[in-house]
């Protein structure tokens, strides 16, 4: 009879453990990155004197064999916070505590500390792959992710692409009679402007003016010729020596030299179109971008705004897509490759885990890449609290890689992975644990009644 009491007691202990596991799952139903646990049981058999259970051996009850966590994917919920990161698929984030302890987590609630490191709410640093100065990811040993908060350096404009159409029906202007004057709209047919940047990130307005020339040559000429002029910040001409006043020995020269290889500065260039409105392919200079030089220091001196930017400002003007069709002259596309300095204002994380810094100048820069880690046996990981796990000999060593590689999942920026607890399942488990407890308690009560009957025998 005593054996029956012990068996019933093991059943009570098992039901209590089952209920405790269920209670822990329910308590963490809203914990980010939490993985529910499952209580697993095994029976107990006492061996005979020969070391084996016989056909007449009665079991000795039940025992808790293990509590295993189920790493099923949780729901991914958008938060709008750019440093909230969810893993869609397999893998873990690697984090390092201040004391150097390494752990792994699925909870992607990250922020930035005072030193610029990406950290969890407990101060552990997220591990990832750094980026070099050119924005290339250096895949190797993962490091604590540090966001470079310094201003992004300016970039001098080196190329300006003009996607323009010049009106084929525009009236020709004879510059020998009506010389070009940027302040007089009657001396040119069309103008367009682009903002360009010098070596210090200073912005300037580059204005180009287009003058349609009268047809020349013999009867039947089908070519149409346009002259292109330019100004920088409204300045067309500057003194040869900006430090000296204009004189016969210090004449005015074009602020923009359209032919830096020539002995004397050229203040214009020509575009020639064929009878289909396309650039004349026979004019070799039109098949490549035109290199020009701009006396930026002289221009700023004229305007009373001295600068120490590189002199001259050298860049290329690309008119390869220019056309001359019917209809008003227009600018369809105007692109330049320079920008001013910028301050970091935000961070975005791509699906591949690459962190991009967003700057006030509209540019973005690769700051690093989140690394993911996986294990041969995730069930072998040891829970350490704060929704994190530690590597063990049973789990095997962590295998790192960029998101999306091997069996690793993808990254979802601005989102968090919720708990994978299914509340309805846990409520059913709770009812089952309660019934198991009641049934085992009834076994003990019945055994007690039988014992009392024996004691009452006279």
């Amino acid at each position: 009879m005593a054996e029956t009491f012990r068996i019933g007691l093991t059943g009570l202990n098992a039901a209590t453990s089952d209920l405790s596991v269920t209670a822990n799952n329910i308590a963490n139903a809203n914990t980010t990155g939490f993985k529910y646990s499952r209580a697993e049981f095994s029976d107990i058999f006492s061996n005979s004197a020969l070391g084996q259970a016989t056909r007449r051996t009665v079991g000795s009850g039940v025992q808790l064999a293990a509590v295993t966590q189920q790493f099923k994917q949780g729901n991914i919920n958008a938060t709008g916070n750019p440093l909230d990161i969810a893993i869609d698929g397999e893998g873990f984030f690697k984090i390092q505590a201040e004391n150097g302890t390494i752990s792994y987590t699925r909870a992607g609630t990250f922020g930035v500390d005072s030193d610029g490191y990406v950290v969890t709410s407990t101060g552990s640093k997220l591990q990832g792959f750094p980026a070099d100065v050119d924005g290339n990811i250096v895949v190797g040993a993962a490091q604590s992710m540090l966001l470079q908060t310094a201003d992004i350096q300016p970039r001098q404009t080196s190329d300006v692409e003009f996607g323009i159409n010049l009106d084929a029906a525009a009236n020709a202007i004879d510059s020998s009679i009506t010389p070009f004057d940027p302040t007089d709209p009657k001396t040119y047919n069309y103008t367009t402007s682009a903002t360009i940047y010098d070596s210090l990130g200073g912005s300037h307005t580059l204005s180009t003016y287009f003058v349609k020339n009268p047809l020349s040559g013999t009867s039947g000429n089908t070519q149409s010729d346009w002259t292109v002029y330019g100004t920088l910040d409204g300045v067309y001409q500057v003194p040869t020596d900006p430090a000296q006043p204009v004189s016969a020995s210090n004449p005015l020269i074009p602020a923009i030299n359209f032919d830096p290889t020539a002995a004397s500065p050229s203040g214009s260039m020509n575009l020639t179109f064929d009878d289909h409105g396309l650039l004349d392919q026979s004019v070799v200079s039109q098949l490549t971008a035109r290199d020009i030089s701009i006396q930026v220091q002289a221009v700023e001196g004229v305007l009373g705004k001295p600068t120490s930017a590189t002199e001259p400002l050298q860049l290329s003007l690309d008119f390869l897509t220019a056309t001359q069709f019917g209809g008003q002259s227009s600018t369809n596309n105007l692109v330049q490759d320079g920008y001013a300095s910028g301050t970091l204002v935000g961070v975005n994380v791509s699906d591949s885990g690459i962190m991009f810094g967003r700057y006030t100048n509209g540019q973005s820069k690769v700051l690093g890449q989140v690394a993911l880690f996986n294990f041969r046996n995730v069930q072998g990981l040891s829970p350490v609290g704060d929704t994190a796990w530690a590597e063990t000999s049973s789990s095997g060593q962590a295998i790192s890689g960029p998101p999306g590689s091997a069996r690793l999942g993808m990254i979802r920026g601005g989102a968090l992975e919720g708990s994978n607890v299914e509340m309805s399942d846990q409520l059913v488990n709770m009812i089952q644990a309660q019934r198991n407890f009641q049934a085992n308690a009834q076994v003990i009560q019945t055994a007690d009644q039988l014992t009392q009957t024996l004691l009452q025998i006279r």
Side-chain angles (χ1 to χ4, degrees):
M1 196 63 67
E3 182 67 17
T4 303
F5 280 108
R6 286 193 293 269
I7 293 174
L9 184 58
T10 64
L12 290 179
N13 291 335
T16 300
S17 298
D18 195 8
L19 188 60
S20 296
V21 171
T22 301
N24 184 62
N25 290 337
I26 294 175
N28 286 281
N30 290 322
T31 301
T32 299
F34 178 80
K35 301 302 177 184
Y36 78 90
S37 298
R38 182 180 67 190
E40 298 177 355
F41 302 95
S42 62
D43 59 354
I44 303 173
F45 264 85
S46 297
N47 292 332
S48 68
L50 297 178
Q52 295 180 345
T54 68
R55 295 177 62 180
R56 295 191 299 272
T57 302
V58 178
S60 299
V62 63
Q63 62 183 351
L64 180 64
V67 177
T68 60
Q69 291 194 287
Q70 308 302 307
F71 289 90
K72 183 180 72 172
Q73 177 76 45
N75 292 330
I76 295 179
N77 306 308
T79 65
N81 183 350
L83 282 180
D84 284 344
I85 309 173
I87 301 175
D88 188 0
E90 297 185 30
F92 297 83
F93 301 114
K94 182 179 180 180
I95 54 177
Q96 183 176 27
E98 294 182 2
N99 62 4
T101 302
I102 297 296
S103 57
Y104 302 87
T105 183
R106 297 271 299 190
T109 49
F110 298 108
V112 181
D113 66 9
S114 58
D115 297 322
Y117 286 99
V118 181
V119 296
T120 66
S121 57
T122 59
S124 296
K125 297 175 182 177
L126 175 65
Q127 305 297 294
F129 304 121
D132 61 21
V133 293
D134 297 322
N136 300 312
I137 299 298
V138 182
V139 178
Q143 306 174 13
S144 296
M145 294 203 68
L146 176 64
L147 301 185
Q148 299 293 337
T149 56
D151 289 356
I152 189 173
Q153 294 184 354
R155 175 177 177 175
Q156 176 179 309
T157 299
S158 61
D159 182 74
V160 183
E161 298 180 8
F162 292 84
I164 61 172
N165 177 65
L166 300 175
D167 186 3
N171 294 323
I173 299 175
D174 190 344
S175 296
S176 63
I177 301 174
T178 309
F180 170 71
D181 181 357
T183 64
D184 184 0
K186 296 180 181 179
T187 63
Y188 55 85
N189 299 95
Y190 182 62
T191 182
T192 189
S193 299
T195 299
I196 62 173
Y197 298 88
D198 60 31
S199 61
L200 300 179
S203 62
H204 304 274
T205 301
L206 173 66
S207 299
T208 49
Y209 302 83
F210 301 87
V211 178
K212 185 178 183 181
N213 300 316
L215 291 175
S216 59
T218 59
S219 175
N221 181 17
T222 58
Q223 290 184 334
S224 182
D225 188 68
W226 294 70
T227 300
V228 183
Y229 301 89
T231 65
L232 185 72
D233 295 331
V235 177
Y236 177 50
Q237 294 178 314
V238 295
T240 303
D241 183 355
Q244 302 297 326
V246 177
S247 64
S249 60
N250 189 38
L252 292 172
I253 59 174
I256 300 178
N257 183 4
F258 284 86
D259 191 1
T261 61
S264 58
S266 173
S268 65
M269 63 173 285
N270 282 19
L271 297 177
T272 303
F273 297 92
D274 60 22
D275 57 347
H276 296 291
L278 303 177
L279 286 174
D280 187 355
Q281 300 298 301
S282 65
V283 182
V284 177
S285 62
Q286 296 181 157
L287 301 182
T288 58
R290 174 64 68 91
D291 293 329
I292 66 171
S293 64
I294 304 176
Q295 306 300 316
V296 61
Q297 291 188 6
V299 168
E300 295 302 284
V302 171
L303 298 175
K305 299 184 293 184
T307 180
S308 59
T310 301
E311 175 85 346
L313 172 58
Q314 297 180 323
L315 53 89
S316 296
L317 302 185
D318 186 348
F319 292 99
L320 298 181
T321 60
T323 58
Q324 180 193 249
F325 298 142
Q328 291 185 341
S329 296
S330 60
T331 301
N332 305 313
N333 187 38
L334 190 57
V335 180
Q336 63 86 36
D337 58 359
Y339 47 80
S341 62
T343 301
L344 183 68
V345 293
V347 176
N348 291 333
V349 184
S350 71
D351 289 350
S352 59
I354 295 178
M355 285 191 173
F356 293 91
R358 291 183 289 105
Y359 294 83
T360 53
N361 59 2
Q363 299 299 309
S364 62
K365 179 182 178 181
V366 175
L367 303 177
Q369 185 178 29
V370 177
L372 292 184
F373 297 77
N374 209 352
F375 299 86
R376 183 179 297 274
N377 175 28
V378 294
Q379 299 290 350
L381 293 171
S382 175
V384 294
D386 293 323
T387 325
W389 296 266
E391 177 185 311
T392 68
S393 58
S394 177
S395 68
Q397 290 186 344
I399 303 172
S400 66
S405 64
R407 294 187 302 151
L408 298 172
M410 301 298 291
I411 291 296
R412 299 291 179 255
L416 291 174
E417 180 188 6
S419 169
N420 67 351
V421 172
E422 291 289 346
M423 189 63 71
S424 59
D425 292 344
Q426 299 306 313
L427 292 176
V428 171
N429 291 342
M430 182 174 62
I431 295 172
Q432 291 176 338
Q434 179 184 14
R435 289 180 176 176
N436 290 338
F437 188 94
Q438 292 172 338
N440 283 279
Q442 187 65 42
V443 169
I444 294 176
Q445 184 179 5
T446 301
D448 179 60
Q449 291 174 352
L450 294 175
T451 301
Q452 291 298 325
T453 301
L454 292 175
L455 291 175
Q456 294 173 3
I457 295 175
R458 294 289 190 270

